[in-house]
Structures are given as C-alpha cells and as structure tokens.
Amino acid sequence: MDVIALIGRILFVFLFFGSAFGHLTQTEAMAGYASSKGVPSAKAATFASGVLMVVAGLMLLLGVWADLGALLLVLFLVPTAFLMHNFWKETDPQAKQLEMIQFNKDLALAGGALMFFGLYAGPGSELGLTVTGPLF
C-alpha cells in the first residue's frame, strides 16, 4: 500500500505542478484573465496561487505534513472554482459548458485533496513513504 499511496500522490500533484508553472511563467497573461473574472490584485493573486500550488504539491508529494499540503490545495481549489469558473454567468452555450467542466474539475480535485487530508491527518504515519508524520 505504501507504493500505491506514493503513486497516487505523484499522479495527483502532477496537475498542480503544470498549472503552477503557467502561473509563475505567464503571470501577466494569466493575471489578465483573472482580472477579467473580477479577481482583486490579479497579478499578485496569480503569482501567489502559483507558489501555493508548488508548496502544497511538494508537501503532499514528499509527505512533509502531507495533510497540511492537501488542506492548502482544498483552500485553493474551492474559491478558484467559484471565482474563476462561474459558469452560471455565461450566456454563450460553449463558454458555459467549458466553465462548467472547469468548475466540476476543481470541485472534484478538492474532493480528492480532502480525501488525502483525511488519510494523512488520520492514519497518515502508517501509510509510510513520507518524510514527516501528519501535522494535524
């Protein structure tokens, strides 16, 4: 089970590292999109969210307070779903569908991160292949 849990963590955080790379290397362009969605201080928020994804992803991947890393991802994903992918405001059917897909993806990922949080905050030290035990 230790290896399976590690593989699951690797596969799960892969998405966040790719997204963080975009946030950190294309901050201006992504901040423009965030600004169009009404995000305040869009450039700072874009950069900060990129850093958060890297830090939380590394915590979960390496098992350094994996429970905290997973919780940070939940705290990022839920507001992002509602702020950035508010499909209910779209009038164009294709745009509405794309935003709904992204909204559902973010909520599903938040659910997965919440499961990681529960696993590592509870029997986390028994799962092995982590650098530290759970923080919570």
Side-chain angles (χ1 to χ4, degrees), residues 3-57:
V3 172
I4 290 174
L6 177 62
I7 292 169
R9 292 190 334 245
I10 292 168
L11 293 174
F12 187 73
V13 300
F14 184 75
L15 174 87
F16 296 103
F17 291 147
S19 186
F21 181 78
H23 279 70
L24 298 174
T25 61
Q26 300 169 18
T27 306
E28 282 295 328
M30 295 188 93
Y33 179 66
S35 181
S36 76
K37 291 290 191 165
V39 173
S41 303
K43 187 172 181 180
T46 300
F47 186 78
S49 63
V51 171
L52 182 138
M53 284 186 278
V54 168
V55 170

Side-chain angles (χ1 to χ4, degrees), residues 56-93:
L58 282 172
M59 291 174 79
L60 186 56
L61 174 66
L62 300 174
V64 177
W65 292 336
D67 54 342
L68 177 60
L71 187 58
L72 289 172
L73 290 174
V74 172
L75 294 175
F76 162 72
L77 286 162
V78 172
T80 298
F82 285 92
L83 285 172
M84 298 299 296
H85 306 298
N86 45 2
F87 65 90
W88 52 91
K89 290 185 176 180
E90 293 293 337
T91 55
D92 176 60

